[in-house]
Amino acid sequence: MTVTAPLTRTPAPEKPAHRDGNVLRWLGAYGASMIGDNIYYVALSWAAVQSGSPSQAGLVMAVSAAPRALLMLGGGVIADRLGPRRIVMAADAVRSVAVLGVAGLFLATRPGLWPLTVLGLVFGIVDALFLPAVGALPARVTGRDQLARVQGLRGLAVRLANVVGAPLGGLGVALGGPAAAFGAAGLLFAISLPLLMSLRIRDLPDDGGESGAPAGNGLADGPRHIRRHSVLAPLVVVIALSDLGFVGPLNVGLTLLADQRGWGASGMGSVLAGFGVGAGAASLLLAVRGRVPRAGLVLAVTMGGGAVAIGALAFVPRLAAAVAVALVIGLLAGLSGALCGALTQTHAEPAYLGRVTAVTSLSSLGLVPLTMPLTGAAVGLWGTGPVFVASAAICALAGVYGLCRTPLRRAELPA
């Protein structure tokens, strides 16, 4: 008698993310929201400058930072507990209503600074919920083996939003004042809602992953999950160090450098464009390939190479050479940053992703406001060269630390 083995179904392979309608709907929603965000910031800054003094305008622009930083960890807990799609939809709905309301005020009257201040506070609170939820959502719309490719697509969407959003905001202000720009931002936030509603959301796996325990819902569970994870723990340190060394020079430092070299605003824009092209190319590489072999090692090496390029930027006398160096910085730093995001997405348990994203976002958003004034003061004391070299050394330290931590150096993306 012949015993026939039972037939088993082989799971169908995941569609590549760039051909998956579910992922593309998520990308459309995310892109619309990011373009709306860029238009909003142009409208807010212009309206604040027109309604008050420069110092008052600066306070309006900075008022969202405090609630965002204070509430971020709690936002991660809420995203994991209630589900990231629900939180992202609620956040975009609130932002749409708030921005359209302010647009109506500017159509009817000249309301002054108070509605802009309230709007900034609302955005800060909403961002504390939105950012962790956005980080947790990709794991609910595609398979683990596609998360790196999704990270590349997300990077492309951010670059597109930066290129398109600010000019659209400026055009809206020029044609119809702040009301038109705020209205355009509100409509884009609203466009994301039907796309988010149409997503197919996957169930979470039941295992507790490397942490060895099921996901809890407490505020400390995210940091505890990171601390116990052999890859995530050093990865968070690498992300924090790279942000500390990278953000100041590429914002305040570059402005001062362009002024010293006589490149002017257009020259600074050209350098930033070079960086954007390089970073976009890195995101495109990850989106198309879907996987970079020996990702942890590549992350550390490219971070070190990007650090060398950051230090060199302060000593390049000609604008064309500076644009070329910025292109290299964008390519190397863009690839290392994309790999940081991809490794976070693929190594964190999906049930913890909101809280893990909250921790990484909090380190970035908490350090960024501090590095900008410190960079400006340091350049005034010692000049651009030493400050860029010091910043490059911090970025290099992040790469060296990544190389020294064996689990991170050997970390791989899913095949």
Side-chain angles (χ1 to χ4, degrees):
M1 179 178 178
T2 303
V3 178
T4 304
L7 293 175
T8 57
R9 289 181 178 270
T10 302
E14 294 284 349
K15 284 184 179 180
H18 57 285
R19 298 177 184 173
D20 186 341
N22 204 41
V23 172
L24 294 178
R25 288 192 295 274
W26 165 82
L27 189 66
Y30 181 71
S33 185
M34 289 298 98
I35 294 173
D37 226 19
N38 278 268
I39 294 174
Y40 155 77
Y41 279 112
V42 171
L44 182 70
S45 60
W46 182 264
V49 167
Q50 295 299 308
S51 302
S53 65
S55 61
Q56 289 173 325
L59 287 174
V60 170
M61 295 300 294
V63 75
S64 63
R68 184 171 55 216
L70 291 173
L71 301 175
M72 184 74 71
L73 293 179
V77 174
I78 294 172
D80 286 336
R81 181 177 296 177
L82 300 182
R85 177 175 62 170
R86 186 178 301 174
I87 300 302
V88 171
M89 288 181 63
D92 275 348
V94 170
R95 293 199 289 183
S96 179
V97 170
V99 170
L100 290 174
V102 171
L105 283 177
F106 273 89
L107 276 176
T109 182
R110 294 180 62 86
L113 288 174
W114 71 266
L116 301 177
T117 304
V118 172
L119 185 62
L121 287 171
V122 169
F123 264 66
I125 294 169
V126 169
D127 279 349
L129 300 170
F130 177 82
L131 293 172
V134 161
L137 191 53
R140 304 290 190 97
V141 299
T142 191
R144 182 172 176 269
D145 62 326
Q146 294 299 314
L147 288 175
R149 187 171 268 131
V150 168
Q151 189 67 26
L153 292 171
R154 182 179 176 181
L156 288 173
V158 170
R159 298 299 162 195
L160 177 64
N162 291 339
V163 170
V164 173
L168 284 178
L171 181 62
V173 169
L175 294 178
F182 279 130
L187 290 176
L188 281 163
F189 291 136
I191 286 172
S192 74
L193 298 178
L195 292 170
L196 290 168
M197 290 178 64
S198 68
L199 295 180
R200 300 188 308 275
I201 300 299
R202 294 166 176 251
D203 293 330
L204 289 177
D206 295 329
D207 60 278
E210 186 177 327
S211 66
N217 285 322
L219 197 64
D221 289 314
R224 187 181 300 120
H225 176 61
I226 292 171
R227 188 173 63 251
R228 293 175 176 176
H229 200 290
S230 60
V231 173
L232 292 178
L235 183 59
V236 168
V237 175
V238 167
I239 291 171
L241 285 173
S242 62
D243 283 335
L244 180 62
F246 183 78
V247 173
L250 264 295
N251 287 275
V252 179
L254 180 58
T255 303
L256 297 174
L257 181 65
D259 182 61
Q260 289 181 6
R261 294 284 191 271
W263 296 338
S266 61
M268 186 184 71
S270 298
V271 175
L272 287 174
F275 169 78
V277 170
S283 295
L284 181 62
L285 171 68
L286 194 57
V288 172
R289 286 185 58 88
R291 184 177 185 269
V292 175
R294 308 191 72 179
L297 178 61
V298 173
L299 184 159
V301 171
T302 54
M303 194 165 284
V308 173
I310 289 172
L313 185 61
F315 301 96
V316 175
R318 296 183 179 277
L319 178 59
V323 172
V325 172
L327 181 68
V328 174
I329 295 173
L331 185 61
L332 295 176
L335 183 56
S336 63
L339 288 174
C340 283
L343 288 171
T344 301
Q345 286 282 319
T346 54
H347 282 76
E349 291 300 315
Y352 286 99
L353 260 174
R355 282 161 287 181
V356 170
T357 303
V359 173
T360 57
S361 299
L362 181 61
S363 68
S364 302
L365 293 170
L367 292 171
V368 166
L370 295 176
T371 59
M372 291 185 181
L374 288 175
T375 300
V379 169
L381 288 173
W382 299 300
T384 53
V387 171
F388 270 71
V389 169
S391 297
I394 297 173
C395 290
L397 179 61
V400 171
Y401 180 79
L403 285 173
C404 292
R405 296 302 298 268
T406 302
L408 178 56
R409 186 179 71 248
R410 294 179 177 176
E412 295 280 5
L413 296 172

mmCIF file of all heavy atoms in Angstrom, residues 40 44 51 60 98 101-103 105-106 109-122 182:
data_model
loop_
_atom_site.group_PDB
_atom_site.id
_atom_site.type_symbol
_atom_site.label_atom_id
_atom_site.label_comp_id
_atom_site.label_asym_id
_atom_site.label_seq_id
_atom_site.Cartn_x
_atom_site.Cartn_y
_atom_site.Cartn_z
ATOM 1 N N TYR A 40 2.013 73.529 4.473
ATOM 2 C CA TYR A 40 1.604 74.104 5.766
ATOM 3 C C TYR A 40 2.732 74.927 6.380
ATOM 4 O O TYR A 40 2.499 76.042 6.870
ATOM 5 C CB TYR A 40 1.166 72.978 6.700
ATOM 6 C CG TYR A 40 1.289 73.326 8.167
ATOM 7 C CD1 TYR A 40 0.356 74.160 8.788
ATOM 8 C CD2 TYR A 40 2.340 72.830 8.930
ATOM 9 C CE1 TYR A 40 0.476 74.486 10.125
ATOM 10 C CE2 TYR A 40 2.462 73.149 10.272
ATOM 11 C CZ TYR A 40 1.537 73.977 10.865
ATOM 12 O OH TYR A 40 1.659 74.298 12.185
ATOM 13 N N LEU A 44 2.535 78.781 7.260
ATOM 14 C CA LEU A 44 2.649 79.201 8.656
ATOM 15 C C LEU A 44 3.770 80.228 8.822
ATOM 16 O O LEU A 44 3.586 81.252 9.497
ATOM 17 C CB LEU A 44 2.913 77.977 9.534
ATOM 18 C CG LEU A 44 3.004 78.247 11.038
ATOM 19 C CD1 LEU A 44 1.636 78.611 11.599
ATOM 20 C CD2 LEU A 44 3.558 77.024 11.781
ATOM 21 N N SER A 51 2.317 88.734 10.392
ATOM 22 C CA SER A 51 1.428 89.099 11.508
ATOM 23 C C SER A 51 2.166 89.566 12.754
ATOM 24 O O SER A 51 1.527 90.063 13.685
ATOM 25 C CB SER A 51 0.543 87.903 11.887
ATOM 26 O OG SER A 51 -0.232 87.466 10.792
ATOM 27 N N VAL A 60 6.322 81.199 17.053
ATOM 28 C CA VAL A 60 5.205 80.471 16.442
ATOM 29 C C VAL A 60 5.701 79.225 15.727
ATOM 30 O O VAL A 60 5.102 78.142 15.821
ATOM 31 C CB VAL A 60 4.435 81.388 15.466
ATOM 32 C CG1 VAL A 60 3.433 80.585 14.632
ATOM 33 C CG2 VAL A 60 3.702 82.475 16.232
ATOM 34 N N ALA A 98 -8.183 71.594 11.171
ATOM 35 C CA ALA A 98 -7.532 72.732 11.809
ATOM 36 C C ALA A 98 -6.996 73.714 10.772
ATOM 37 O O ALA A 98 -7.179 74.939 10.891
ATOM 38 C CB ALA A 98 -6.405 72.239 12.709
ATOM 39 N N GLY A 101 -9.766 75.484 8.941
ATOM 40 C CA GLY A 101 -10.354 76.494 9.819
ATOM 41 C C GLY A 101 -9.541 77.776 9.841
ATOM 42 O O GLY A 101 -10.100 78.895 9.776
ATOM 43 N N VAL A 102 -8.230 77.655 9.924
ATOM 44 C CA VAL A 102 -7.372 78.843 9.902
ATOM 45 C C VAL A 102 -7.437 79.525 8.533
ATOM 46 O O VAL A 102 -7.423 80.762 8.441
ATOM 47 C CB VAL A 102 -5.928 78.454 10.270
ATOM 48 C CG1 VAL A 102 -4.976 79.623 10.045
ATOM 49 C CG2 VAL A 102 -5.858 77.999 11.717
ATOM 50 N N ALA A 103 -7.528 78.732 7.457
ATOM 51 C CA ALA A 103 -7.688 79.328 6.127
ATOM 52 C C ALA A 103 -8.958 80.172 6.071
ATOM 53 O O ALA A 103 -8.959 81.279 5.503
ATOM 54 C CB ALA A 103 -7.735 78.223 5.070
ATOM 55 N N LEU A 105 -10.365 81.700 8.595
ATOM 56 C CA LEU A 105 -10.127 82.924 9.367
ATOM 57 C C LEU A 105 -9.370 83.956 8.535
ATOM 58 O O LEU A 105 -9.686 85.153 8.576
ATOM 59 C CB LEU A 105 -9.333 82.598 10.633
ATOM 60 C CG LEU A 105 -10.093 81.953 11.796
ATOM 61 C CD1 LEU A 105 -9.131 81.624 12.932
ATOM 62 C CD2 LEU A 105 -11.186 82.895 12.295
ATOM 63 N N PHE A 106 -8.374 83.505 7.780
ATOM 64 C CA PHE A 106 -7.598 84.453 6.977
ATOM 65 C C PHE A 106 -8.406 84.982 5.791
ATOM 66 O O PHE A 106 -8.120 86.078 5.291
ATOM 67 C CB PHE A 106 -6.308 83.793 6.486
ATOM 68 C CG PHE A 106 -5.178 83.919 7.471
ATOM 69 C CD1 PHE A 106 -4.983 82.972 8.447
ATOM 70 C CD2 PHE A 106 -4.317 85.005 7.419
ATOM 71 C CE1 PHE A 106 -3.944 83.083 9.358
ATOM 72 C CE2 PHE A 106 -3.278 85.136 8.326
ATOM 73 C CZ PHE A 106 -3.089 84.172 9.312
ATOM 74 N N THR A 109 -10.764 87.691 7.850
ATOM 75 C CA THR A 109 -10.191 88.803 8.612
ATOM 76 C C THR A 109 -8.688 88.632 8.699
ATOM 77 O O THR A 109 -8.123 87.704 8.119
ATOM 78 C CB THR A 109 -10.797 88.835 10.028
ATOM 79 O OG1 THR A 109 -10.269 89.961 10.737
ATOM 80 C CG2 THR A 109 -10.487 87.562 10.794
ATOM 81 N N ARG A 110 -8.034 89.545 9.442
ATOM 82 C CA ARG A 110 -6.607 89.401 9.750
ATOM 83 C C ARG A 110 -6.510 88.987 11.220
ATOM 84 O O ARG A 110 -6.505 89.847 12.109
ATOM 85 C CB ARG A 110 -5.864 90.714 9.496
ATOM 86 C CG ARG A 110 -5.838 91.125 8.027
ATOM 87 C CD ARG A 110 -5.090 92.446 7.836
ATOM 88 N NE ARG A 110 -3.697 92.360 8.231
ATOM 89 C CZ ARG A 110 -2.716 91.951 7.438
ATOM 90 N NH1 ARG A 110 -2.986 91.575 6.192
ATOM 91 N NH2 ARG A 110 -1.473 91.915 7.865
ATOM 92 N N PRO A 111 -6.444 87.717 11.507
ATOM 93 C CA PRO A 111 -6.616 87.257 12.884
ATOM 94 C C PRO A 111 -5.411 87.455 13.790
ATOM 95 O O PRO A 111 -5.517 87.272 15.009
ATOM 96 C CB PRO A 111 -6.905 85.760 12.705
ATOM 97 C CG PRO A 111 -6.219 85.396 11.440
ATOM 98 C CD PRO A 111 -6.310 86.614 10.554
ATOM 99 N N GLY A 112 -4.245 87.780 13.275
ATOM 100 C CA GLY A 112 -3.066 87.951 14.112
ATOM 101 C C GLY A 112 -2.376 86.628 14.401
ATOM 102 O O GLY A 112 -2.564 85.624 13.688
ATOM 103 N N LEU A 113 -1.612 86.604 15.484
ATOM 104 C CA LEU A 113 -0.777 85.456 15.783
ATOM 105 C C LEU A 113 -1.479 84.360 16.576
ATOM 106 O O LEU A 113 -1.021 83.213 16.569
ATOM 107 C CB LEU A 113 0.476 85.906 16.559
ATOM 108 C CG LEU A 113 1.533 86.684 15.772
ATOM 109 C CD1 LEU A 113 2.615 87.173 16.709
ATOM 110 C CD2 LEU A 113 2.143 85.813 14.691
ATOM 111 N N TRP A 114 -2.557 84.705 17.283
ATOM 112 C CA TRP A 114 -3.123 83.703 18.206
ATOM 113 C C TRP A 114 -3.596 82.433 17.492
ATOM 114 O O TRP A 114 -3.339 81.328 17.989
ATOM 115 C CB TRP A 114 -4.231 84.320 19.068
ATOM 116 C CG TRP A 114 -5.505 84.642 18.332
ATOM 117 C CD1 TRP A 114 -5.869 85.815 17.779
ATOM 118 C CD2 TRP A 114 -6.579 83.726 18.071
ATOM 119 N NE1 TRP A 114 -7.081 85.722 17.169
ATOM 120 C CE2 TRP A 114 -7.562 84.443 17.346
ATOM 121 C CE3 TRP A 114 -6.813 82.392 18.371
ATOM 122 C CZ2 TRP A 114 -8.742 83.864 16.919
ATOM 123 C CZ3 TRP A 114 -7.996 81.811 17.953
ATOM 124 C CH2 TRP A 114 -8.949 82.542 17.232
ATOM 125 N N PRO A 115 -4.296 82.503 16.325
ATOM 126 C CA PRO A 115 -4.696 81.238 15.695
ATOM 127 C C PRO A 115 -3.507 80.449 15.159
ATOM 128 O O PRO A 115 -3.539 79.215 15.122
ATOM 129 C CB PRO A 115 -5.635 81.666 14.564
ATOM 130 C CG PRO A 115 -5.241 83.058 14.252
ATOM 131 C CD PRO A 115 -4.786 83.654 15.539
ATOM 132 N N LEU A 116 -2.439 81.149 14.766
ATOM 133 C CA LEU A 116 -1.246 80.455 14.295
ATOM 134 C C LEU A 116 -0.557 79.724 15.450
ATOM 135 O O LEU A 116 -0.048 78.614 15.285
ATOM 136 C CB LEU A 116 -0.272 81.441 13.651
ATOM 137 C CG LEU A 116 -0.809 82.233 12.453
ATOM 138 C CD1 LEU A 116 0.238 83.225 11.964
ATOM 139 C CD2 LEU A 116 -1.222 81.296 11.327
ATOM 140 N N THR A 117 -0.547 80.345 16.629
ATOM 141 C CA THR A 117 0.032 79.694 17.805
ATOM 142 C C THR A 117 -0.759 78.452 18.182
ATOM 143 O O THR A 117 -0.190 77.388 18.460
ATOM 144 C CB THR A 117 0.069 80.676 18.974
ATOM 145 O OG1 THR A 117 0.787 81.860 18.586
ATOM 146 C CG2 THR A 117 0.752 80.059 20.189
ATOM 147 N N VAL A 118 -2.084 78.579 18.188
ATOM 148 C CA VAL A 118 -2.935 77.425 18.501
ATOM 149 C C VAL A 118 -2.730 76.322 17.464
ATOM 150 O O VAL A 118 -2.641 75.132 17.799
ATOM 151 C CB VAL A 118 -4.416 77.848 18.570
ATOM 152 C CG1 VAL A 118 -5.320 76.628 18.701
ATOM 153 C CG2 VAL A 118 -4.638 78.803 19.737
ATOM 154 N N LEU A 119 -2.631 76.718 16.187
ATOM 155 C CA LEU A 119 -2.422 75.733 15.123
ATOM 156 C C LEU A 119 -1.089 74.999 15.312
ATOM 157 O O LEU A 119 -1.011 73.774 15.130
ATOM 158 C CB LEU A 119 -2.452 76.433 13.760
ATOM 159 C CG LEU A 119 -2.360 75.534 12.515
ATOM 160 C CD1 LEU A 119 -3.546 74.590 12.446
ATOM 161 C CD2 LEU A 119 -2.280 76.382 11.247
ATOM 162 N N GLY A 120 -0.046 75.735 15.679
ATOM 163 C CA GLY A 120 1.240 75.093 15.934
ATOM 164 C C GLY A 120 1.171 74.101 17.078
ATOM 165 O O GLY A 120 1.748 73.008 17.009
ATOM 166 N N LEU A 121 0.447 74.459 18.147
ATOM 167 C CA LEU A 121 0.284 73.531 19.272
ATOM 168 C C LEU A 121 -0.479 72.282 18.840
ATOM 169 O O LEU A 121 -0.122 71.156 19.225
ATOM 170 C CB LEU A 121 -0.448 74.231 20.418
ATOM 171 C CG LEU A 121 0.355 75.267 21.209
ATOM 172 C CD1 LEU A 121 -0.559 76.021 22.164
ATOM 173 C CD2 LEU A 121 1.490 74.597 21.975
ATOM 174 N N VAL A 122 -1.524 72.466 18.043
ATOM 175 C CA VAL A 122 -2.305 71.321 17.558
ATOM 176 C C VAL A 122 -1.421 70.398 16.727
ATOM 177 O O VAL A 122 -1.441 69.171 16.898
ATOM 178 C CB VAL A 122 -3.520 71.801 16.735
ATOM 179 C CG1 VAL A 122 -4.177 70.631 16.006
ATOM 180 C CG2 VAL A 122 -4.533 72.482 17.644
ATOM 181 N N PHE A 182 -2.950 77.585 3.116
ATOM 182 C CA PHE A 182 -3.519 76.737 4.169
ATOM 183 C C PHE A 182 -4.627 75.846 3.598
ATOM 184 O O PHE A 182 -4.752 74.674 3.956
ATOM 185 C CB PHE A 182 -4.079 77.590 5.304
ATOM 186 C CG PHE A 182 -3.045 78.082 6.275
ATOM 187 C CD1 PHE A 182 -2.995 79.425 6.633
ATOM 188 C CD2 PHE A 182 -2.130 77.210 6.851
ATOM 189 C CE1 PHE A 182 -2.046 79.883 7.534
ATOM 190 C CE2 PHE A 182 -1.180 77.656 7.751
ATOM 191 C CZ PHE A 182 -1.135 79.006 8.099
#
